[in-house]
Amino acid sequence: TKTISKCYVQVTGMTCASCVANIERNLRREDGIHSILVALMAGKAEVRYNPAVIHPSAIAELIRELGFGATVMENCAEGDGVLELVVRGMTCASCVHKIESTLMKTNGVLYCSVALATNKAHIKYDPEAIGPRDVIQVIKDLGFTTSLVKKDRSASHLDHKQEIRQWKRSFVVSLVFCIPVMGLMIYMMVMESQLSDAHAHHNMSSEEMEALHSSMVLEYQLLPGLSVMNFLSFLLCVPVQVFGGWHFYIQASRALRHNTANMDVLVVLATSIAFLYSFVILLVAMAERAKVNPVTFFDTPPMLFVFISLGRWLEHVAKGKTSEALARLISLQATEATIVTLGPDNVLLSEEQVDVELVQRGDIVKVVPGGKFPVDGRVIEGHSMVDESLITGEAMPVTKKPGNTVIAGSINQNGSLLISATHVGADTTLSQIVKLVEEAQTSKAPIQQFADKLSGYFVPFIVAVSVVTLFAWIIIGFVDFEIVEKYFLGYNKSLSPAEVILRFAFQASITVLCIACPCSLGLA
């Protein structure tokens, strides 16, 4: 008996079914090649060959000569079938042992593990030698009832509706409060520039300047130390911090629990510190009944939250769009198949309805007019027109006669067909398309991976820099107080130098944090 080995070749450059037919036709003629099966979407050829006559590298070379790229795949485990079953009627460990030992003795079963607690069996098998129905039959013969683990066919895990809703809400809340904050900020800037112009033209003393300053509407003090501007900014900032930033806080706390620092941590850190610092500074100013209004950072959180929640919202909308397409694709898959047994001269002996996951390679499947093709296969009997528009985009029905290939998910129109299954389960064209789209969704763009990696270093780096700033100014202040006096204008003369230094140092370090945080926008 000649030994038959199996290898898988990765084939690139195939564009349509005629490429597949071309490769299959040419390689079948070669010496030592027993059979070849090419999957277009997976870009993979499964070749059974006689190792005494030909080697996998020679097979790849033959495919290359036809004008395609071909490399031999090392891990051949890809071709193993995997079966998840629910087994009922097991009572103790000896039942488990009985099932496992019987299955392992069965030709074609590569691996088997049965869990008594969950009633589940996990089986790996060689689709060439045995199929899921045979495995189920073996277990049934032992006296247990068994069925397939039902797969969730609805693409519910692909639904982004909830995330879209939550980020939209977060964005709208932030935006509503951000616009007035920006308005106030712009107004202040304009007034400041007018003041400095006036200051330049009339050489006023700084006392007159301060008098002019406090006469501005927004600088008017409601309470000593609390200006209209700061009060309004505070009122507008609170709802954003709570409602707009809610999801950021949740995600940041999760990240910190796992000892990682991501974008959310940075956003939360900067906004919280800006908010708390501004709040504390206001309280201190009110307690001291300060004449000069303190510099606050209430404008930072709303603006940051607006930009970032807008980004997140758009991202989920885009994801939702692809998911919709994917859900539609998944719904194209047939759920059941009619398997027939043929006698001599293709006489129908019997037919049975089975779950589509139980169809094995080489099974004869009957597809009635109006029915969906459950698996990829080759027509062996019958003539019909088939609507393949959902896979190929071809609007006109395609004629199918014996020898033609059919695609799972396409619709049979007028004649009854008998097909021989070539690709089943996860190998069908439709499953491969679904898999590709799912992978495209879950994989990150290279730039995004880079950004994530960067923010892992970025967050600790920024925190370190702001801490360094804090200590640097404290040291400078205590060494040479004049420098601090030069930069820290309008501080309360009644304060002790130590207090002034500390306050200035904190202000500087928080400025570093708040300015570095929008850099997360750059990353985003």
Side-chain angles (χ1 to χ4, degrees), residues 18-133:
S18 66
C19 299
V20 173
N22 181 10
I23 294 175
E24 290 187 352
R25 193 177 58 245
N26 281 295
L27 267 100
R28 279 206 189 96
R29 295 188 193 138
E30 297 293 335
D31 258 355
I33 290 183
H34 195 266
S35 70
I36 171 164
L37 195 61
V38 181
L40 175 66
M41 292 303 299
K44 197 165 83 177
E46 179 185 313
V47 187
R48 299 178 73 202
Y49 64 98
N50 181 356
V53 180
I54 195 165
H55 281 290
S57 50
I59 296 172
E61 190 50 49
L62 287 171
I63 297 176
R64 270 190 225 108
E65 280 168 17
L66 293 172
F68 302 97
T71 48
V72 179
M73 291 163 74
E74 295 303 322
N75 52 342
C76 292
E78 297 248 330
D80 296 344
V82 177
L83 192 57
E84 292 269 350
L85 298 175
V86 178
V87 183
R88 301 256 170 235
M90 297 189 292
T91 50
C92 60
S94 68
C95 299
V96 172
H97 178 68
K98 188 160 90 183
I99 295 174
E100 286 185 355
S101 58
T102 312
L103 278 175
M104 288 307 285
K105 279 184 214 138
T106 310
N107 181 28
V109 175
L110 308 171
Y111 166 82
C112 165
S113 125
V114 181
L116 180 64
T118 56
N119 287 340
K120 286 220 177 115
H122 184 82
I123 298 140
K124 275 196 185 138
Y125 61 92
D126 177 5
E128 295 286 331
I130 195 170
R133 288 206 310 286

Side-chain angles (χ1 to χ4, degrees), residues 512-524:
V512 169
L513 266 187
C514 290
I515 290 173
C517 179
C519 206
S520 57
L521 278 181
L523 287 175

